[in-house]
Amino acid sequence: MQQVYNFAAGPAVLPQPILKQVQAEFLSYHGSGMSVTEISHRSSLFQDIYHDAEQTLRQLMGLPDDYRILFLQGGASLQFYMLPLNIATKRRAAYVDTGHWSQKAVTEAEKISGMQVDIVASSKASSYTTIPVVPTLTKDYDYVHITTNNTIEGTAFTQLPDVAAPLVADMSSNILAQNYPFEKFGVIYAGAQKNIAPAGLTVVIVRDDLLGQVTGLPTMLDYTLQAQKESAYNTPPVFDIYTAGLVFHWLQDRGGIAGIEKINRAKAGILYDYLAQSKLFSSPVAVAARSLTNVPFMTGDPELDAEFVAAADAAGFKNLKGHRLVGGMRASLYNALPIDAVAALVDFMEKFEKGAGK
């Protein structure tokens, strides 16, 4: 079978050892005679899976005891609405606009009755190729929302803004890929389909003091109730939580977040170094704002971009077509993508560039 490298933005590549373990355990989980997809979410088998995943993630992120970890459904897109519904008691929130997904978050928050949403900083003027300077903000806001990594635009926060209000983050595309001082966040949420598990799971991390502030919420949208029920008011995504737990242990074996960040910086460095000297390909993103996990690049000629994507796909480099809002190409370098994949891609790009110059 042809060697395939999956550069998809999500659902994304999972670690090969995890896929093999899932395959080995699929028909009979821990000798139970039942697949992990068949076991009850009320069973001791699943309770062990759940608590192990929760504790391992807490250890990876160094989360204090006053944070709840929720394993929910609905993706980050549901959190765009669920977050303000739960913690916006003053009905006033600040958002940092860094691209497509932060704009989506703003749109959903504005749907809440009486909600005032202020865009306090934006990189729109630079076509979202930078991260804006966020002003010092007061406690007048219920929270300040950032998107730590912008999957489409290829930018990321390297320094957190200094704000008095609770800092909350959509961390979908770089959770566990680089270290942040996680204790500085009031809420973190992330779709799991990029660095954690198959699509269908959403990780939400909430500080205790932000729970229970709003009552009378729809049951499935209530952080407090979900925390009380350990994410199992209804049937949780059992298979995804099981896979997530395996990935958390895989990360621990690689030195945790600090260890995988070192690898991710090496991966991204291979591609960015090539782009810096290439006469055909270039990156549109300001150097200081570049993401470690999503790297857009282009030739400047849409027809040549399309030719490259087709040639790369035929050679086994999959899902490199850029998002329609940016164009060109995009390589997503998530935790599970091996460094050899990036080295092989750069080698292919060098050969393509030589051929394009003839």
Side-chain angles (χ1 to χ4, degrees):
M1 186 173 66
Q2 180 191 32
Q3 172 69 63
V4 166
Y5 297 115
N6 182 10
F7 291 90
V13 61
L14 285 166
Q16 280 291 316
I18 302 306
L19 293 176
K20 290 178 180 178
Q21 183 173 350
V22 170
Q23 182 184 44
E25 295 181 340
F26 193 76
L27 292 180
S28 178
Y29 177 70
H30 282 205
S32 66
M34 297 177 288
S35 170
V36 73
T37 61
E38 300 172 321
I39 62 174
S40 168
H41 64 293
R42 307 294 182 192
S43 69
S44 60
L45 283 172
F46 177 68
Q47 290 302 307
D48 289 345
I49 288 171
Y50 178 90
H51 290 118
D52 179 72
E54 192 270 343
Q55 286 301 318
T56 309
L57 180 58
R58 186 178 297 278
Q59 292 165 10
L60 280 168
M61 299 180 76
L63 293 172
D65 291 339
D66 62 340
Y67 282 82
R68 300 306 107 209
I69 297 176
L70 309 178
F71 294 120
L72 306 179
Q73 301 173 66
S77 294
L78 179 58
Q79 294 307 311
F80 297 159
Y81 188 83
M82 190 170 173
L83 167 77
L85 198 65
N86 276 267
I87 70 171
T89 56
K90 302 186 189 81
R91 289 294 192 262
R92 189 178 183 212
Y95 280 72
V96 180
D97 170 27
T98 50
H100 179 76
W101 292 112
S102 57
Q103 292 166 10
K104 293 283 190 183
V106 167
T107 298
E108 292 303 302
E110 288 176 335
K111 293 178 180 178
I112 294 175
S113 177
M115 188 75 176
Q116 177 184 335
V117 177
D118 295 340
I119 296 176
V120 295
S122 175
S123 52
K124 185 176 182 179
S126 70
S127 300
Y128 298 111
T129 58
T130 62
I131 293 294
V133 175
V134 181
T136 301
L137 299 171
T138 69
K139 293 181 179 179
D140 292 340
Y141 289 105
D142 287 302
Y143 62 88
V144 179
H145 182 284
I146 64 172
T147 306
T148 52
N149 186 82
N150 298 283
T151 322
I152 294 171
E153 295 81 7
T155 61
F157 278 84
T158 55
Q159 300 291 327
L160 298 182
D162 182 17
V163 296
L167 182 64
V168 306
D170 174 1
M171 215 173 271
S172 292
S173 53
N174 72 339
I175 190 169
L176 307 181
Q178 65 188 87
N179 240 334
Y180 289 104
F182 298 109
E183 72 282 356
K184 290 190 175 182
F185 292 93
V187 181
I188 295 168
Y189 63 91
Q193 66 274 12
K194 301 175 188 295
N195 265 326
I196 295 176
L201 171 67
T202 308
V203 175
V204 180
I205 299 165
V206 189
R207 201 172 60 219
D208 280 347
D209 64 299
L210 298 175
L211 293 173
Q213 297 194 108
V214 180
T215 59
L217 296 178
T219 300
M220 293 303 295
L221 301 183
D222 188 336
Y223 284 157
T224 304
L225 181 62
Q226 292 288 0
Q228 291 170 347
K229 297 294 184 180
E230 294 190 318
S231 310
Y233 179 84
N234 72 336
T235 307
V238 171
F239 179 76
D240 285 8
I241 296 170
Y242 154 73
T243 309
L246 299 181
V247 171
F248 297 155
H249 283 290
W250 178 84
L251 281 170
Q252 280 188 326
D253 292 342
R254 277 145 191 82
I257 301 176
I260 204 70
E261 179 178 345
K262 184 177 180 181
I263 296 170
N264 288 338
R265 289 192 180 280
K267 285 190 295 192
I270 292 170
L271 182 51
Y272 283 127
D273 287 349
Y274 168 68
L275 291 173
Q277 58 84 42
S278 173
K279 292 181 173 57
L280 178 64
F281 299 101
S282 64
S283 166
V285 180
V287 173
R290 286 178 178 173
S291 166
L292 295 181
T293 51
N294 306 102
V295 183
F297 59 95
M298 53 202 61
T299 66
D301 179 347
E303 291 187 3
L304 190 57
D305 287 346
E307 182 183 334
F308 172 80
V309 169
D313 183 80
F317 301 95
K318 302 296 183 179
N319 300 303
L320 282 169
K321 184 178 180 180
H323 192 276
R324 57 181 173 77
L325 293 177
V326 175
M329 287 69 69
R330 173 178 53 176
S332 293
L333 316 179
Y334 296 122
N335 287 347
L337 186 79
I339 195 167
D340 290 351
V342 187
L345 173 62
V346 165
D347 182 63
F348 179 81
M349 292 169 71
E350 288 175 334
K351 292 174 181 175
F352 185 89
E353 181 170 355
K354 291 176 182 177
K358 293 180 180 178

